[in-house]
């Protein structure tokens, strides 16, 4: 029974996510932004110049990735985290929202559509999305409305 549910529901979602997020890269095109452990992420260096916005979910006490991303791209950062009152340090060209992301709007959480409205970013903009929210990313990836919006992201 569980196997059948997985095959009918989870596998198609997983396959769609993997196909959408699949990246062709050469290892010499990778660069780490942010600190060396949790809070740093590996990205494609050759793609950095195309972005003009960073939407970042999951700040906590670290903006090292956002600082490095800004240094490399000069983009504007929209930072979201309901667990902190403010950014832990000054971040140029940024705006902080004490809000989290979910598939629906409730309490201190908004959906991806509201994020774009709040940040006034057009869906055809070149947006880099960083989402480190301890496994809750799957709520967004599994939501049809959010997934349709994510298709517009590079």
């Amino acid at each position: 029974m569980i196997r059948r549910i997985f095959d009918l529901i989870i596998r198609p979602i997983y396959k769609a996510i993997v196909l959408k997020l699949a990246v062709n890269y050469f290892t010499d095109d990778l660069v780490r932004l942010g600190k060396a452990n949790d809070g740093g992420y590996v990205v494609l260096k050759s793609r950095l110049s195309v972005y003009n916005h960073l939407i970042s979910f999951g700040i906590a006490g670290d903006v090292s990735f956002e600082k490095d991303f800004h240094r490399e791209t000069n983009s504007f950062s929209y930072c979201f985290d309901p667990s902190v009152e403010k950014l832990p340090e000054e971040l140029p060209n940024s705006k902080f929202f004490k809000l989290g992301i979910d598939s629906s709007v409730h309490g201190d959480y908004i959906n991806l559509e509201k994020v774009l409205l709040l940040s006034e970013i057009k869906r055809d903009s070149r947006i880099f999305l960083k989402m480190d929210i301890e496994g809750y990313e799957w709520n967004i990836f599994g939501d049809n409305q959010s997934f349709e919006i994510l298709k517009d992201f590079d």
Side-chain angles (χ1 to χ4, degrees), residues 66-147:
E66 291 77 7
K67 285 173 69 173
D68 286 353
F69 192 88
H70 173 72
R71 187 187 69 243
E72 294 290 328
T73 66
N74 199 32
S75 64
F76 198 91
S77 298
Y78 300 90
C79 304
F80 292 81
D81 194 319
S83 70
V84 295
E85 295 299 320
K86 61 181 183 156
L87 293 177
E89 60 184 276
E90 186 72 24
L91 183 61
N93 291 335
S94 69
K95 187 166 185 179
F96 173 74
F97 300 91
K98 186 178 170 47
L99 296 168
I101 182 79
D102 202 348
S103 58
S104 64
V105 177
H106 58 92
D108 290 338
Y109 292 84
I110 58 177
N111 61 17
L112 200 50
E113 182 178 24
K114 297 283 186 211
V115 167
L116 293 178
L117 288 172
L118 192 59
S119 58
E120 298 178 349
I121 298 175
K122 293 184 180 7
R123 282 177 62 169
D124 62 351
S125 297
R126 291 298 195 157
I127 306 166
F128 188 98
L129 176 67
K130 181 214 104 181
M131 191 180 306
D132 186 357
I133 53 176
E134 310 308 321
Y136 290 96
E137 298 88 349
W138 294 105
N139 290 354
I140 308 309
F141 296 147
D143 175 59
N144 286 336
Q145 181 184 13
S146 297
F147 197 72

Side-chain angles (χ1 to χ4, degrees), residues 22-90:
V23 177
N24 294 323
Y25 65 89
F26 297 100
T27 55
D28 61 347
D29 190 29
L30 299 177
V31 62
R32 184 178 188 88
L33 301 180
K35 61 186 186 179
N37 50 3
D38 190 26
Y41 306 90
V42 176
V43 299
L44 292 171
K45 188 174 186 176
S46 63
R47 298 291 302 150
L48 286 174
S49 63
V50 305
Y51 300 112
N52 50 17
H53 299 286
L54 166 65
I55 297 177
S56 183
F57 297 104
I59 300 296
D62 178 30
V63 290
S64 61
F65 175 82
E66 291 77 7
K67 285 173 69 173
D68 286 353
F69 192 88
H70 173 72
R71 187 187 69 243
E72 294 290 328
T73 66
N74 199 32
S75 64
F76 198 91
S77 298
Y78 300 90
C79 304
F80 292 81
D81 194 319
S83 70
V84 295
E85 295 299 320
K86 61 181 183 156
L87 293 177
E89 60 184 276
E90 186 72 24

